[in-house]
Amino acid sequence: MTITITAFAASPDKGRGQARDMRARWALEEVGQPYDVRLLSFAAMKQPPHRALHPFGQIPTFEEDDVALFESGAIVLHVAQRHAGLLPSEGAGRARAINWMFSALNTLEPPIVELEMAHLLEGDRPWAAERLPMLEERVDRRLGELSACLGRRAWLEDAFTAGDLLMITVLRRLEGSHLLARFPSLADYIARGAARPAYRRAFDAQRAVFLETLRAADAGDR
Ligand code: GTB
């Protein structure tokens, strides 16, 4: 059975590759596994057929034979464990790469998402002027610590791993933010990840979905 993942039919990010299907796409491209994509509307995500796969009614999901997964981190780990290219084969290095995967999702992503949500949903609230600097300071601290770990190296370990893949997708959420501008080595790290041919293929594939919605809307207008 060909692997099938799910993604937004109309991503709110307008083809910027910020939705989490990008993680699954990138991992599959890195290991050279072909995959199909089932595109879902917001309404379809909340219907029983999709909820049977994803209890929270979200994307992405992953299906292959008897394996069905619904967390982007678990999907990347599964792909990395099944196929060569994203995890070192040696025990300690493999464990460290998996450690970085958890670090991306548990230590870096939460303060970044909290800040993003505060800007989006609470920016006009009376407490925003006090809360936003506090949230920014938390992100800034983590970026400083990560930048110190990375140092002058290209990747978090000796070679690119699934830990870098997840870390870069997490850091990309800060693109355009003044917070990232303080850490040029992290901006370079993101650029190095985004220059990988597998990343480009994944990015172009999700962008093609957006361009197709534009084309269809344009044809409908005529
Ligand atoms: N923990 C889960 C995982 O890592 O897979 C979280 C999955 C998740 O948040 N999915 C989002 C979703 O399905 C899409 S990625 N949302 C629809 C819903 O909950 O109804 C989050 C996302 C969405 C949009 C942007 N954007 O527009 O920039 C960025 C990230």
Side-chain angles (χ1 to χ4, degrees):
M1 172 186 175
T2 306
I3 293 167
T4 301
I5 64 166
T6 51
F8 284 132
S11 179
D13 75 355
K14 298 186 166 39
R16 287 184 301 116
Q18 291 286 2
R20 289 183 175 96
D21 59 292
M22 186 62 197
R23 297 171 179 175
R25 290 177 187 270
W26 187 7
L28 289 163
E29 294 288 353
E30 285 285 348
V31 302
Q33 281 298 300
Y35 59 98
D36 291 333
V37 183
R38 189 163 62 247
L39 298 174
L40 296 171
S41 65
F42 276 87
M45 274 187 266
K46 308 302 174 198
Q47 296 302 311
H50 185 65
R51 282 217 191 254
L53 271 173
H54 198 310
F56 307 115
Q58 297 184 310
I59 59 100
T61 56
F62 170 104
E63 295 157 83
E64 183 185 25
D65 301 324
D66 59 344
V67 178
L69 301 171
F70 61 85
E71 278 290 338
S72 60
I75 293 168
V76 172
L77 180 59
H78 176 75
V79 170
Q81 283 177 324
R82 274 233 168 147
H83 306 281
L86 283 169
L87 287 176
S89 49
E90 163 268 324
R94 195 174 176 92
R96 278 197 309 276
I98 294 171
N99 194 143
W100 280 120
M101 296 177 71
F102 279 85
S103 181
L105 302 182
N106 282 350
T107 304
L108 271 294
E109 188 163 52
I112 290 174
V113 170
E114 201 177 351
L115 175 62
E116 203 173 60
M117 289 298 134
H119 272 299
L120 274 175
L121 307 175
E122 301 168 13
D124 56 352
R125 298 302 177 97
W127 63 81
E130 274 186 62
R131 182 163 148 78
L132 286 172
M134 186 188 74
L135 296 179
E136 286 194 355
E137 199 259 309
R138 282 186 200 155
V139 171
D140 185 75
R141 191 179 336 133
R142 286 287 176 256
L143 294 181
E145 288 160 345
L146 182 68
S147 157
C149 280
L150 186 63
R152 297 162 72 91
R153 285 176 300 143
W155 310 114
L156 292 165
E157 293 292 321
D158 292 343
F160 178 83
T161 73
D164 296 299
L165 186 154
L166 288 180
M167 194 64 84
I168 288 165
T169 59
V170 167
L171 293 177
R172 275 204 62 225
R173 295 187 81 137
L174 292 168
E175 272 175 0
S177 146
H178 66 283
L179 288 167
L180 206 48
R182 277 192 6 94
F183 300 99
S185 71
L186 294 183
D188 290 350
Y189 174 55
I190 297 173
R192 254 189 315 278
R196 291 177 72 82
Y199 178 98
R200 293 291 355 143
R201 288 193 294 275
F203 185 89
D204 290 348
Q206 63 77 38
R207 184 154 177 81
V209 176
F210 169 64
L211 295 177
E212 176 56 25
T213 59
L214 282 188
R215 200 201 54 75
D218 191 40
D221 283 347
R222 273 192 239 127

